[in-house]
Amino acid sequence: MELNTIERDDIGAAAEDLVVPPAATRKVFVKTYGCQMNVYDSQRMTDALATDGYVATDAVGEADLVLLNTCHIREKAAEKVYSELGRIRELKAERAKAGREMLVGVAGCVAQAEGAEIIRRSPVVDLVIGPQTYHRLPAVLAKARSGEKIVETDYAVEDKFEHLPQPKRAELIRRGVTAFLTVQEGCDKFCTFCVVPYTRGSEVSRPVAQIVAEAERLADAGVREVTLLGQNVNAWHGRGEDCEEWGLGRLLFRLAEIPGLARLRYTTSHPRDMDDELIAAHRDLPTLMPYLHLPVQSGSDRILKAMNRRHMAKDYLTLIDRIRAARNDIALSGDFIVGFPGETEADFEATMQLVEDVNYASAFSFKYSPRPGTPGAEMNDQVPEAVKDERLQRLQALLLKQQQHFGASLVGRTIDTLIEKPGRQAGQKVGRSPWLQPVIVDEKAGEIGDIIQVRITKTGYNSLFAELA
Ligand code: 5AD
Ligand code: SF4
C-alpha cells in the first residue's frame, strides 16, 4: 500500500540542513508502554532497526531516532504519550540547534487508533506506525529521513513476523534467560470496554513451524523460560507438524520437547477458550508453570453480559474448579474492571464475592475508562469517578490481602527458582518462583540460568527471600 504523507513541520532547522548520521552510527531510543506484547514488539523493532544500522541507546538526548511504543488500553496510558512528546519536542529543538537530526516515531496501539491525529496534535512526530507494519520500519524511516511525514497504519496483508529479521544470537544472550514469544495477535471477542479488537485487529495465529523455530533459537541462546504471548493466547490454533489442527495445549507439549527450555508460560487467556487439552497440559506437563492469568473482569452476570464476555460468573468458577482439579498447586491471577457503566453496589459486591471464592495469588484491577469507538463509551449510566475510586480501593485491599496470604503460605516450603539476574543489593541474585514472584537469594546460590531448589525464609512486599535448600 501507499504510505500516507503529511506536510512536514520543521522544528528549528530545515531537514536538509541537518546532519544525518551514516548508518552504523545511528542511535535509537525506544520507550515501551503497556503490555508484554509491546515489550516483545519493541525488541523486534530494535532487531529490524539493527539491520538498518541503528544501535540502541538509553540516553534519549543522544538519539537520532526516538520511538515510543504506545498503549491505548486506558485513557491514562494514551495521555502519557502526549506528555512525553511534549518533553521530546524540547530535546528535538535542542538537537536541531546543534545541527543534529532527531526523528520521532509513535508506534503501538495509540498509533493505530489515532493515526494522523497524532501528528496534528504533536507536530514533533515524524512517523506513526501501527503494530501490523513494523517490518516496514526501515523503508518508512528512509522516507521520513528525506523529510516526509508518514502515517502507516494499514493492516499489512503480508505476515510481518515472516519479514521481521531475527536478532543475532549474541543479542538474545544479552537479553537474558527469560523471553517473550508472540504466538497470537488480535482479538475477535469485542468485549464492550476494550479497544484491542480495533487497535490490534482480528485474531491471527502464527504458524507452528515459525513458533518452534523461534523457540529453538531462544533455547540455543540460553533462554530457560518462554512466555507465549497473545491478546487471546488460548485461542491460538494452527496446522501441526502431523497436519492436524493444533490448539495451544498441543503447542505447549511440542515446545516442551525443545532441549534447554525448562519453563513455559502463556498469557493472556479468555475463559471461553480454556479447552480440555489446555487443562490437560496443566495436568501432564511439568514444564508448564502452575500459574494462570485468567481475567474475569466482573463477578456480576448482568455486568458480564453488558461487557459481552459471553459467560456467567458460575461458568468461570466451574472452570477454575476443573483447572485446580488438574493441577492443585496452580496459582490464579486475574484482571478486574470496577465502575463499568450501570454497575450497582450489588454488582460490585458480586465481584468481591467472586474474588473471595477464587482466592487469587495476584491480580490487576482498574477503574473503567471509556475508550472512544467502543460500545461501552456510548452506554448510559456511566459510574461517577468517586464511586469508581471507592470500589477500586475496596477491591484492591482484598486482592492485596490474598496476595500476601499466598506469599506467606510459601514460607518454610522448598520450591524451584530460576536464577535470572544480579540483585539490586550486592551479594544477592534474583530468581523467579513458579508463580512469578521474584525470589531473592545469596549470589553464590547459583549461576544465572540455573534452576535451583530453595527454601523460602520470609516474604517481602512483592517478593520472597530464600536460602539454598
Ligand atoms: N477500562 C479499564 N480497564 C480496561 N481493561 C481493558 N480495557 C479497559 C478499559 N476500557 C483492562 C481489562 C483487561 C486489561 C488488560 O485491561 O481488565 O483485561
Ligand atoms: Fe479485549 Fe481481551 Fe475482550 Fe479481546 S478478550 S476484547 S483483548 S478484553
Side-chain angles (χ1 to χ4, degrees):
M1 58 132 251
E2 282 297 303
L3 301 179
N4 299 323
T5 311
I6 293 177
E7 281 298 298
R8 191 180 177 91
D9 170 82
D10 286 325
I11 296 202
E16 56 271 24
D17 298 337
L18 298 175
V19 178
V20 179
T25 56
R26 292 179 192 144
K27 289 186 179 160
V28 55
F29 173 87
V30 184
K31 181 158 182 173
T32 308
Y33 300 80
C35 65
Q36 292 113 322
M37 190 171 286
N38 267 8
V39 174
Y40 176 83
D41 284 348
S42 289
Q43 289 176 344
R44 297 301 299 260
M45 282 193 276
T46 310
D47 300 336
L49 290 167
T51 63
D52 204 21
Y54 283 93
V55 292
T57 176
D58 292 335
V60 59
E62 282 178 8
D64 304 294
L65 168 63
V66 174
L67 211 47
L68 304 184
N69 191 7
T70 62
C71 172
H72 203 240
I73 196 92
R74 286 170 290 277
E75 189 180 358
K76 265 196 190 149
E79 283 308 316
K80 273 192 211 153
V81 175
Y82 285 105
S83 45
E84 183 71 18
L85 285 170
R87 283 191 289 275
I88 289 170
R89 186 186 161 79
E90 288 166 27
L91 290 173
K92 179 164 173 159
E94 270 171 40
R95 267 180 78 87
K97 271 191 223 141
R100 301 291 305 252
E101 186 173 57
M102 179 188 266
L103 286 177
V104 179
V106 175
C109 294
V110 177
Q112 189 63 42
E114 304 207 345
E117 177 61 22
I118 298 175
I119 297 182
R120 243 168 255 132
R121 201 170 146 183
S122 248
V124 67
V125 175
D126 299 290
L127 59 120
V128 173
I129 183 161
Q132 304 313 326
T133 43
Y134 291 157
H135 55 297
R136 297 189 186 153
L137 199 50
V140 167
L141 277 170
K143 287 211 171 197
R145 276 195 295 269
S146 71
E148 283 181 35
K149 293 240 174 193
I150 318 267
V151 178
E152 166 97 56
T153 51
D154 272 13
Y155 288 116
V157 279
E158 68 271 23
D159 172 13
K160 76 170 164 195
F161 291 110
E162 216 164 274
H163 291 82
L164 276 168
Q166 288 289 345
K168 296 220 159 66
R169 187 165 181 272
E171 176 58 20
L172 286 180
I173 292 171
R174 196 192 62 76
R175 287 178 190 167
V177 294
T178 61
F180 294 131
L181 199 176
T182 292
V183 299
Q184 181 278 336
E185 222 183 314
C187 182
D188 297 336
K189 291 276 190 297
F190 290 92
C191 301
T192 52
F193 53 82
C194 186
V195 285
V196 166
Y198 312 94
T199 55
R200 290 274 173 170
S202 52
E203 270 176 33
V204 178
S205 293
R206 288 179 71 186
V208 172
Q210 230 184 56
I211 295 166
V212 171
E214 191 166 325
E216 285 174 345
R217 286 176 63 92
L218 292 170
D220 177 56
V223 168
R224 308 299 319 274
E225 176 176 308
V226 169
T227 303
L228 307 182
L229 299 180
Q231 265 92 28
N232 238 329
V233 71
N234 55 351
W236 178 91
H237 59 96
R239 176 68 57 95
E241 290 147 337
D242 53 5
C243 291
E244 285 191 14
E245 189 68 9
W246 288 10
L248 188 68
R250 275 298 289 280
L251 181 68
L252 287 162
F253 274 99
R254 173 65 185 89
L255 296 177
E257 289 170 8
I258 297 175
L261 285 191
R263 289 176 155 199
L264 294 169
R265 304 178 185 276
Y266 61 91
T267 197
T268 288
S269 299
H270 192 288
R272 294 256 317 196
D273 292 323
M274 286 302 299
D275 64 13
D276 292 344
E277 198 168 36
L278 188 52
I279 296 175
H282 279 287
R283 184 189 60 213
D284 299 335
L285 207 53
T287 321
L288 183 56
M289 290 295 97
Y291 178 91
L292 177 62
H293 183 63
L294 194 61
V296 62
Q297 316 296 355
S298 168
S300 151
D301 287 340
R302 222 172 55 81
I303 296 298
L304 285 169
K305 188 155 196 285
M307 287 177 163
N308 191 32
R309 294 289 292 179
R310 296 189 266 178
H311 67 78
M312 299 205 280
K314 183 169 59 57
D315 302 322
Y316 181 80
L317 294 172
T318 309
L319 178 61
I320 299 286
D321 286 344
R322 284 174 56 216
I323 296 165
R324 282 190 165 139
R327 178 94 202 224
N328 64 6
D329 65 342
I330 201 156
L332 288 156
S333 155
D335 289 343
F336 296 90
I337 296 177
V338 300
F340 186 77
E343 187 188 70
T344 61
E345 182 60 25
D347 293 318
F348 175 68
E349 284 299 337
T351 300
M352 294 289 276
Q353 185 58 51
L354 179 139
V355 171
E356 295 277 9
D357 291 345
V358 172
N359 193 12
Y360 287 91
S362 73
F364 303 91
S365 46
F366 314 98
K367 287 190 283 182
Y368 171 66
S369 164
R371 306 312 292 131
T374 60
E378 307 295 318
M379 288 179 185
N380 298 325
D381 303 333
Q382 298 286 332
V383 174
E385 235 11 65
V387 176
K388 290 186 202 172
D389 279 329
E390 189 265 340
R391 288 182 187 163
L392 187 68
Q393 270 188 27
R394 275 155 68 197
L395 177 61
Q396 289 188 337
L398 176 58
L399 290 168
L400 181 65
K401 196 177 85 186
Q402 294 189 344
Q403 181 182 329
Q404 288 172 341
H405 188 261
F406 177 65
S409 74
L410 297 172
V411 173
R413 280 186 51 190
T414 298
I415 65 166
D416 280 350
T417 296
L418 168 62
I419 311 267
E420 256 188 89
K421 56 188 175 193
R424 248 183 259 144
Q425 284 179 29
Q428 292 180 338
K429 281 199 179 101
V430 184
R432 196 184 283 212
S433 81
W435 307 283
L436 272 185
Q437 298 122 312
V439 182
I440 318 291
V441 292
D442 187 282
E443 66 175 346
K444 293 191 205 75
E447 296 304 316
I448 289 170
D450 288 350
I451 294 174
I452 58 170
Q453 292 253 299
V454 298
R455 206 177 63 83
I456 305 301
T457 51
K458 59 176 182 170
T459 60
Y461 180 70
N462 202 8
S463 54
L464 303 169
F465 290 82
E467 60 193 17
L468 207 53

